[in-house]
Amino acid sequence: MAFSPIVPPLAVKKVRYFGETIAVVVAETEQIAKRAAELIRAEFVQLPVVHSPSAALQPEAPLIHKDLGSYQRYGPVYPVPDTNIGNHVKIRKGDMQTGWATSEVVVEGSYAFNTSDHCAMEPRCSIVEVMPSGLIDIQTSTQDPFMIKCLFHLFFQVDQSKVVVHVQFVGGGFGGKGSTQLEYIAYLVMHLLNHLL
């Protein structure tokens, strides 16, 4: 099981992509939450943009994560400090030089495709309730409930038996419902509220 370097659940000091979470609203009703969200104001300073993976690999490319080398890692993840390479994997199979030399035809080229992504019909949503007993009850749209239990244990030192994940029918997820992010945010907010109240 591989984990990427730890990234904060909310943008800190720098927003790295369109749609990165910058704030959380907590309210007693959906209407109040919507109104509160409309009142949030943020000011941004335009930073240099990296438009493609090939541009990100150029020596002069702006660094998306300047502190990449200092991030805490779990599992076999090998970021390259002072670059935009989040994980460097070496694969060695056979003798490449012999393979090229004995090939009847060698074709070289650069190929690019328009970006695409699978899209779920339902929005991402998570509801987390922290019970007085310490039980963490999570209702979420995911295709990987057991990974959520593992990650809560890893990041929050919560026993997996204390994490209950309820999932409705996901349908065709194809990997798009495999990430865990909203669950962290909802848990952290609930955890904070429990300590404040």
Side-chain angles (χ1 to χ4, degrees), residues 17-189:
Y17 60 89
F18 182 81
E20 185 173 11
T21 308
I22 62 167
V24 175
V25 172
V26 179
E28 291 185 1
T29 68
E30 185 177 344
Q31 291 76 18
I32 295 172
K34 186 174 181 182
R35 179 65 183 131
E38 292 169 350
L39 295 174
I40 294 174
R41 297 290 178 263
E43 293 184 16
F44 298 94
V45 174
Q46 183 78 33
L47 297 174
V49 178
V50 180
H51 290 287
S52 69
S54 55
L57 294 174
Q58 299 303 313
E60 69 281 359
L63 295 180
I64 306 300
H65 293 268
K66 288 186 178 180
D67 300 325
L68 184 62
S70 66
Y71 288 3
Q72 187 175 359
R73 298 184 299 112
Y74 290 99
V77 178
Y78 306 100
V80 180
D82 302 317
T83 73
N84 286 317
I85 300 172
N87 187 21
H88 185 209
V89 179
K90 294 181 181 179
I91 300 174
R92 300 291 182 262
K93 301 283 185 183
D95 183 348
M96 293 298 297
Q97 297 305 321
T98 302
W100 292 126
T102 57
S103 297
E104 290 185 21
V105 177
V106 175
V107 178
E108 294 184 17
S110 296
Y111 306 93
F113 302 91
N114 290 330
T115 56
S116 65
D117 194 8
H118 42 263
C119 172
M121 290 170 42
E122 65 177 348
R124 296 299 301 263
C125 182
S126 295
I127 299 172
V128 176
E129 189 173 0
V130 181
M131 306 296 188
S133 66
L135 186 75
I136 301 169
D137 190 81
I138 301 173
Q139 296 183 50
T140 189
S141 173
T142 184
Q143 65 190 67
D144 207 348
F146 298 105
M147 181 57 73
I148 292 173
K149 293 168 73 77
C150 291
L151 293 176
F152 266 66
H153 174 70
L154 180 68
F155 296 137
F156 304 120
Q157 292 76 50
V158 175
D159 190 285
Q160 291 187 39
S161 66
K162 293 284 192 181
V163 181
V164 179
V165 182
H166 305 276
V167 180
Q168 299 299 319
F169 294 116
V170 175
F174 309 108
K177 292 296 182 77
S179 59
T180 304
Q181 182 183 22
L182 296 178
E183 295 83 358
Y184 300 146
I185 295 171
Y187 170 72
L188 290 169
V189 168

